[in-house]
Amino acid sequence: MMRSVITLCFCVVLSGCSSLFSAKIPDWWTHTPVDSEQWMYGVGEGANADIAQQQALTYIAGKLKTRVSSQLSVKTTETNTYYAQYAERNIRSSIQNTDLSHFQIQERVVDSSAHITRVLIRLDRQALAQAWRNQYQELSQKVTQARQREAAQSLFAWWMNARATLPVAQQADVLALQLGALLNRKSTSNLWTDLQQLIRQTPIQVGVDGDNSAISQQVTDLLNQQELRVVRCSSCDLKLSYHTKVDYQKIFDQQVATLEFYGELKDAHGLVSQQHWIVQGSSITNTSFAYKAASAKAAEYIQKHGLWKSFGLDQD
């Protein structure tokens, strides 16, 4: 009789444990609510509520990224090669940092035995969309201003500012793609493409004047990489001028050449910047080889620090 009672109690306890375990896996975890026009849903779990919340937001962001990728594929085929290259290298990496707000935890369950917290998050689509619209408008205004050249602004100053605004245009286009994914609409923002094409289609006459062939070649190559062509011009939009001074010393068995670089940038309004820096090269043979080594070091310096910084501009 006692054995039957113990068996019965054990079954009751086991049944109770089973019910308790089932309660810890709610329906919303196994069957996430379907997104609506107003709400997007995400579920997540973790060692605490913060980790679970972050996982739920990642769940929602994943749904947006899938839609963004679909929009990108269409956009890339509809636009030119420049946009295709840009989208591949920049936009796809930018959407990894999707910033979500206007959400709330709708449900939360704590499994104390497994030390797991599960949450259901509900994100307000319309509220987030309005916040993103406001951000897009601010970015779009900056791009519009960068496209316009002020009367007192030199062509080179405009070019530098427009080029520096390209990341802003990229950020706006990414935001527009995310907004389209959020509202299930096609994005029509091409701020980066339009600004890049405007920069390409605005010719700038650039002249280079210097006394070192290795340095001049490096400067020309970097200008070409930025799609600025070096031409012979009497009144250039931009002139990069420099001269070098070389001193020699014999240190032990080495001929050491110390090369000093004096460079300046001038545009149509006059002096823009100046810069002075020093490099050294050595050779066990003679001063001629030491000079070549120092010239190579100077070219490496410009490559490493950037063209504009090598001539005294803060941005590059």
Side-chain angles (χ1 to χ4, degrees):
M1 179 68 178
M2 180 64 68
R3 180 178 299 176
S4 299
V5 171
I6 293 174
T7 302
L8 179 61
C9 290
F10 177 75
C11 290
V12 170
V13 170
L14 185 62
S15 175
C17 290
S18 177
S19 299
L20 184 61
F21 177 78
S22 299
K24 292 176 182 176
I25 308 295
D27 288 340
W28 53 260
W29 179 259
T30 53
H31 301 89
T32 307
V34 178
D35 296 340
S36 66
E37 185 175 346
Q38 182 67 35
W39 308 105
M40 286 188 75
Y41 295 91
V43 292
E45 66 178 3
N48 54 55
D50 290 338
I51 296 175
Q53 174 181 296
Q54 188 57 48
Q55 191 181 88
L57 290 173
T58 301
Y59 181 100
I60 295 175
K63 291 191 282 187
L64 290 177
K65 289 171 187 175
T66 300
R67 295 172 189 170
V68 168
S69 296
S70 178
Q71 286 196 42
L72 269 179
S73 299
V74 174
K75 202 176 189 71
T76 307
T77 57
E78 291 178 348
T79 54
N80 56 33
T81 306
Y82 295 138
Y83 185 88
Q85 295 173 346
Y86 154 71
E88 184 66 27
R89 289 178 301 178
N90 297 305
I91 286 189
R92 292 189 188 280
S93 60
S94 297
I95 61 176
Q96 298 300 319
N97 301 317
T98 304
D99 183 21
L100 298 179
S101 58
H102 299 278
F103 62 87
Q104 60 185 21
I105 296 179
Q106 192 174 22
E107 301 284 352
R108 178 168 58 187
V109 170
V110 178
D111 185 343
S112 55
S113 61
H115 304 290
I116 291 176
T117 299
R118 295 185 176 93
V119 299
L120 169 68
I121 278 183
R122 185 176 72 172
L123 182 143
D124 190 331
R125 266 179 153 161
Q126 301 306 319
L128 180 58
Q130 188 56 52
W132 281 356
R133 285 192 197 97
N134 294 339
Q135 293 177 36
Y136 178 84
Q137 288 299 324
E138 292 178 6
L139 297 172
S140 178
Q141 288 176 4
K142 292 180 181 179
V143 176
T144 299
Q145 292 172 359
R147 290 177 59 89
Q148 301 168 353
R149 181 183 169 192
E150 299 176 4
Q153 191 177 33
S154 71
L155 185 58
F156 174 65
W158 171 86
W159 182 88
M160 288 293 285
N161 182 59
R163 186 168 166 270
T165 309
L166 283 171
V168 178
Q170 172 190 321
Q171 186 181 354
D173 283 346
V174 169
L175 199 57
L177 282 167
Q178 293 177 174
L179 182 59
L182 182 66
L183 299 178
N184 292 320
R185 297 174 187 171
K186 182 180 178 181
S187 169
T188 58
S189 179
N190 296 307
L191 295 179
W192 187 94
T193 309
D194 294 343
L195 182 57
Q196 179 74 331
Q197 288 180 348
L198 179 61
I199 293 172
R200 293 174 187 271
Q201 294 168 1
T202 305
I204 299 180
Q205 291 187 322
V206 183
V208 176
D209 183 25
D211 58 8
N212 184 294
S213 60
I215 293 176
S216 293
Q217 185 60 55
Q218 182 66 72
V219 169
T220 300
D221 290 345
L222 291 177
L223 287 168
N224 289 338
Q225 288 177 19
Q226 298 184 33
E227 300 184 355
L228 293 174
R229 292 182 58 193
V230 177
V231 298
R232 295 181 180 276
C233 48
S234 55
S235 55
C236 302
D237 298 311
L238 175 65
K239 189 67 175 286
L240 293 83
S241 302
Y242 72 90
H243 69 274
T244 59
K245 178 183 175 183
V246 184
D247 289 322
Y248 299 96
Q249 279 183 295
K250 189 169 184 178
I251 302 177
F252 300 110
D253 294 331
Q254 298 278 333
Q255 292 289 347
V256 179
T258 301
L259 185 150
E260 293 190 65
F261 173 92
Y262 301 86
E264 64 178 23
L265 291 178
K266 287 184 177 180
D267 64 10
H269 292 175
L271 183 65
V272 176
S273 65
Q274 292 178 309
Q275 186 64 298
H276 169 241
W277 41 267
I278 300 173
V279 294
Q280 288 184 323
S282 62
S283 171
I284 60 173
T285 308
N286 53 44
T287 56
S288 176
F289 282 97
Y291 174 78
K292 290 181 179 179
S295 298
K297 289 286 187 180
E300 290 175 8
Y301 180 99
I302 296 172
Q303 175 70 39
K304 177 181 178 180
H305 293 84
L307 176 62
W308 307 117
K309 289 183 180 179
S310 296
F311 278 83
L313 280 181
D314 289 336
Q315 72 182 91
D316 210 278

